[in-house]
Amino acid sequence: MAERIDGVRKLFTSKSARVDTNRGDLYYQQLFDTCRARLDALREQPAVNRLDFDSLLTDEGQDRREFMKWVSAVTAMLMLPPMFTPLVAEAAELMNRLPVVWLELQDCAGNSEALLRSDGPKIDEIVLDIISLEFHESLMAPSGHQAEKQLEDAMEHFKGNYLLFVEGSIPVGAGRDWCTIGASGETFLDHLNRVAENAAAVVAVGACATFGGIPAAAPNPTGAVGVMDVVKGKPVINIPACPANPANMVGVVLHYALTGQVPELDSLLRPKFAFGYRIHDNCERRAHFDAGEYVEEWGDEGAKNNFCLYKMGCKGPMTFNNCSIVRYNEGVNWPIGVGRGCIGCSEPDFWDKYAYERPMANANIKAPTGGVEKTVDQFGLGLLTAAGIGIGIHAVASAVAGKREEGGEG
Amino acid sequence: MKSGRKQVKRMTGAMRIIHWANAISMVAAVITGLYIGHPYYQTLIADGAVDKYVMAWNRWGHFIVAIIFDVTSIVVAYLYFFSRFEKPYKKLIPNGKNVTEFGEVLLNLVTLNRRKKFDSTHSDSFNTVYFAIFHLLLVWMLFTGLQLYVHGLESGESSIGAWWPAMLHLVTDWTIPITGGSLMDVRISHHVTMWLIVTWVAFHIYYQIWRTIFWKEGDIAIVFGGSKFAKEQES
Ligand code: SF4
Ligand code: SF4
């Protein structure tokens, strides 16, 4: 209850979910000047690694034209007007000034995988290659005490400047003491808080780090929560989804490099440039939704014709994400594109409330009263039946009583 | 007219129009809402999508009746306090008189009209409270429904201007944390409330008919002709 009250308070004090894509020339001119100054300052800073963006680009067989195409796409994704294109390009090149520390807590490493795995290095990846990943348990060569030392060094050296990426949820309940990190047996909770202390901002990636994800699904044995429930007094940016889309990670990092600030966030701390829209609004199957043409069964005629997946349990109408625009795997495809409904992986409590892969009306949804699993419709029909029985008893009793009265009178 | 009874005006023309507009809207909203939640009838699967908009028509109908509902709710809310005819809020104040009356009407119902110690000429506090619950349910439907709706106006623009989605966000976003934190909770709550309203309606219709039969004052006529009959006060 306290959480909900807190949520309501936050809601009234946070900006509305509205996405504003045109703020007027004055605003953009001012932003442009800020970005210019920021990039100049960044250029002054020594690079934290020796990687050079241009040569990396050539090494990977990408040409400048390809890169500029990517830059204009990213500029549009960040909802900036075209005049920002050269600045975004510059920000990408200056990425080796940005130190990043990456923590993995209760997770499956899916977000790291999403970032790394692909058929061939594309520009997103090159950009992420060049940020100076100072610490990442799964990717770094050192281990044990050496790894710990590296983290301490990075925290000391880049105090107040590094971006902290967090993947995985944090157990704060019963699981608090089971999950420890390093030789000293520091709990996830203490570890995160300590590393976040000196970060410039904290970026929670994936469903688990943002809203607890699968570890927090009922009955949540470890008492898992998301980063924003733990880290206080630091800007937190949530990039939910399972896994988080690398395009959105790049977007946030670029935005930070460009402006020195976190992007505009919605009430769930998700950047609006990525989470301002519903899947449903940009879905290629939307015409079929409006037409009432649905896949009724896997592999049926409707499925062959790419009909809407709503009746197969698609949660697109209440899920906010840009998968329908930027897609996954280098923009090749996305779940609905392969004939599978959205399971709402970028929403809070997605495993309990969205992910049932059944049509919504057939789903066993937890009753709002908690505990009992019961569908809403069964509940409703039960209530109506109870009322009907009550009415029936009263009506019969009334009829009998009425007769008696009349009999008495007559 | 039976002798010894006088005709009492109970509903103005406007009130009756609101009543029937609500009744028809509700039936339409329930039918279209059930379709939206679970599209139970199908289109001919092989046709092109161009000339049929089955879901779109259902949503269209649902939203139109919802808007009618919303507007009448505002009118009803106004009439609660400022009607020159009857001011229902006076019966809602939990003072001794109203509480006693509430109890008496309830006793009348459960004793099957064996005991009737209240004046049934005008709306009693039991009925007024019952209607107040209905209006609260409707207001809740209004907020949750508009919250589910506003996200379709994705970019903050709408055909009537940016103020409309902005206002809807401002006025309805609080329903998300209240219901449990996600849009799905809002949706479930909207759906559950539909069932509560349907149940409310079932009792409402029953009770009005029951009163008509047992009180013999022609209560059912209120909603058609605007008036009922009351026994002349024995002097
Ligand atoms: S497949 Fe899902 S997201 Fe796409 S139109 Fe249908 S319901 Fe909407
Ligand atoms: S389509 Fe839905 S379930 Fe799939 S990745 Fe996007 S938000 Fe997650």
Side-chain angles (χ1 to χ4, degrees):
Chain A
M1 200 56 213
E3 261 170 52
R4 291 198 185 174
I5 292 168
D6 197 43
V8 176
R9 188 181 49 71
K10 231 196 262 163
L11 227 139
F12 277 112
T13 47
S14 74
K15 292 177 216 125
S16 101
R18 181 178 165 201
V19 188
D20 196 355
T21 47
N22 186 2
R23 296 149 182 279
D25 292 342
L26 188 69
Y27 172 86
Y28 288 114
Q29 196 51 53
Q30 275 168 359
L31 184 65
F32 191 91
D33 296 341
T34 319
C35 295
R36 186 67 271 156
R38 156 88 179 162
L39 289 177
D40 290 341
L42 212 56
R43 197 177 286 284
E44 292 303 301
Q45 280 174 32
V48 286
N49 62 29
R50 262 172 288 132
L51 293 175
D52 172 59
F53 187 75
D54 273 329
S55 45
L56 213 64
L57 212 57
T58 350
D59 287 354
E60 299 292 358
Q62 302 282 349
D63 60 10
R64 192 77 198 165
R65 255 192 71 211
E66 205 56 38
F67 173 59
M68 287 318 287
K69 254 174 38 196
W70 176 86
V71 167
S72 26
V74 171
T75 311
M77 182 178 98
L78 291 175
M79 294 179 177
L80 294 170
M83 73 189 211
F84 280 83
T85 315
L87 295 191
V88 173
E90 230 178 299
E93 284 153 21
L94 293 172
M95 214 55 106
N96 59 357
R97 268 90 171 159
L98 270 194
V100 168
V101 171
W102 185 296
L103 293 188
E104 274 190 61
L105 305 171
Q106 273 195 133
D107 71 325
C108 68
N111 299 284
S112 300
E113 289 281 339
L115 207 71
L116 298 169
R117 301 271 161 159
S118 70
D119 47 352
K122 294 280 155 45
I123 296 177
D124 294 279
E125 261 180 278
I126 300 173
V127 170
L128 288 167
D129 268 351
I130 198 165
I131 53 177
S132 174
L133 208 47
E134 291 302 315
F135 181 82
H136 188 307
E137 281 114 343
S138 315
L139 300 181
M140 57 203 274
S143 60
H145 291 291
Q146 278 174 311
E148 268 179 36
K149 173 103 180 26
Q150 179 142 344
L151 179 62
E152 299 307 321
D153 287 351
M155 282 169 58
E156 187 54 42
H157 195 72
F158 302 108
K159 204 169 181 163
N161 286 324
Y162 58 89
L163 279 179
L164 173 62
F165 274 72
V166 184
E167 178 181 10
S169 64
I170 305 98
V172 296
R176 183 184 163 142
D177 301 324
W178 311 336
C179 303
T180 61
I181 218 161
S184 61
E186 193 177 23
T187 64
F188 282 4
L189 186 65
D190 296 339
H191 189 65
L192 172 63
N193 274 325
R194 192 163 59 86
V195 184
E197 180 101 28
N198 294 330
V202 186
V203 187
V205 289
C208 304
T210 49
F211 310 126
I214 292 168
N220 192 355
T222 61
V225 297
V227 171
M228 66 174 168
D229 300 314
V230 167
V231 173
K232 302 288 171 209
K234 285 279 161 194
V236 175
I237 306 160
N238 281 334
I239 313 181
C242 195
N245 198 323
N248 296 337
M249 301 187 209
V250 176
V252 167
V253 179
L254 262 182
H255 191 283
Y256 182 73
L258 192 62
T259 61
Q261 284 161 6
V262 301
E264 196 184 341
L265 307 174
D266 71 5
S267 54
L268 293 169
L269 306 183
R270 303 178 293 195
K272 284 190 187 176
F273 72 78
F275 298 92
Y277 302 94
R278 296 184 304 171
I279 305 283
H280 189 59
D281 294 317
N282 301 296
C283 177
E284 63 240 26
R285 299 182 187 229
R286 179 60 190 267
H288 294 298
F289 173 83
D290 286 338
E293 295 174 326
Y294 304 102
V295 177
E296 309 273 342
E297 212 179 293
W298 297 122
D300 68 3
E301 208 47 42
K304 286 178 197 150
N305 287 306
N306 292 339
F307 283 1
C308 170
L309 295 157
Y310 188 60
K311 286 182 82 169
M312 298 311 291
C314 179
K315 306 299 182 293
M318 46 268 305
T319 305
F320 294 78
N321 206 334
N322 56 358
C323 336
S324 44
I325 307 171
V326 303
R327 306 179 163 217
Y328 274 86
N329 295 331
E330 319 301 343
V332 169
N333 213 336
W334 67 302
I336 288 169
V338 302
R340 169 108 202 37
C342 166
I343 57 171
C345 71
S346 52
E347 294 299 314
D349 295 331
F350 95 95
W351 195 255
D352 293 332
K353 289 175 183 163
Y354 289 73
Y356 40 83
E357 288 144 333
R358 290 175 287 271
M360 222 112 52
N362 289 354
N364 248 358
I365 302 163
K366 272 204 167 164
T369 43
V372 194
E373 281 242 323
K374 205 179 221 181
T375 74
V376 172
D377 289 319
Q378 283 166 352
F379 167 72
L381 202 60
L383 189 72
L384 189 62
T385 313
I389 292 171
I391 288 173
I393 292 172
H394 191 267
V396 169
S398 297
V400 171
K403 276 225 185 79
R404 213 187 285 142
E405 236 171 62
E406 266 164 31
E409 270 170 20
Chain B
M1 202 205 299
K2 275 192 188 177
S3 56
R5 287 176 198 237
K6 65 167 193 281
Q7 193 172 1
V8 234
K9 189 160 166 64
R10 284 291 304 278
M11 274 178 116
T12 62
M15 287 160 81
R16 276 175 282 149
I17 290 173
I18 291 176
H19 174 272
W20 289 111
N22 274 2
I24 296 164
S25 298
M26 183 174 316
V27 173
V30 168
I31 292 173
T32 52
L34 284 173
Y35 179 82
I36 293 167
H38 185 61
Y40 50 87
Y41 52 88
Q42 297 174 26
T43 55
L44 293 166
I45 216 157
D47 287 1
V50 276
D51 45 355
K52 48 183 181 185
Y53 276 97
V54 183
M55 174 59 101
W57 278 118
N58 273 284
R59 294 179 72 230
W60 183 88
H62 196 74
F63 298 157
I64 292 290
V65 295
I67 293 289
I68 294 172
F69 247 139
D70 294 349
V71 173
T72 54
S73 297
I74 293 166
V75 176
V76 168
Y78 170 81
L79 291 178
Y80 249 77
F81 297 97
F82 302 110
S83 171
R84 289 198 298 148
F85 187 61
E86 277 175 358
K87 293 186 176 51
Y89 83 91
K90 288 190 176 162
K91 288 276 179 186
L92 289 177
I93 304 166
N95 56 22
K97 189 166 156 282
N98 284 342
V99 172
T100 319
E101 190 182 68
F102 184 97
E104 282 302 329
V105 182
L106 192 64
L107 280 176
N108 170 259
L109 180 67
V110 298
T111 60
L112 312 172
N113 202 30
R114 289 222 178 79
R115 169 193 170 111
K116 188 157 178 285
K117 293 186 179 159
F118 61 96
D119 178 15
S120 57
T121 315
H122 290 280
S123 191
D124 53 75
S125 58
F126 177 80
N127 225 25
T128 316
V129 167
Y130 189 62
F131 268 90
I133 292 170
F134 173 65
H135 290 129
L136 289 176
L137 291 174
L138 278 192
V139 167
W140 179 243
M141 287 307 256
L142 185 159
F143 283 123
T144 50
L146 288 174
Q147 166 61 216
L148 292 171
Y149 165 76
V150 67
H151 295 289
L153 306 172
E154 36 168 347
S155 60
E157 283 297 335
S158 79
S159 60
I160 51 171
W163 65 273
W164 172 235
M167 186 194 83
L168 290 184
H169 275 302
L170 197 71
V171 175
T172 68
D173 279 1
W174 58 272
T175 54
I176 301 180
I178 285 287
T179 49
S182 73
L183 211 49
M184 192 59 88
D185 297 296
V186 179
R187 183 189 173 278
I188 293 169
S189 177
H190 192 73
H191 198 66
V192 173
T193 310
M194 175 207 71
W195 283 109
L196 296 179
I197 290 177
V198 170
T199 308
W200 186 97
V201 168
F203 178 73
H204 167 63
I205 296 173
Y206 170 74
Y207 188 43
Q208 297 308 325
I209 294 175
W210 184 83
R211 292 209 312 192
T212 309
I213 296 174
F214 282 83
W215 292 0
K216 302 194 174 71
E217 295 176 355
D219 282 78
I220 204 81
I222 296 173
V223 80
F224 298 100
S227 45
K228 65 176 272 184
F229 299 95
K231 291 197 178 86
E232 295 278 17
Q233 219 68 330
E234 292 133 33
S235 47

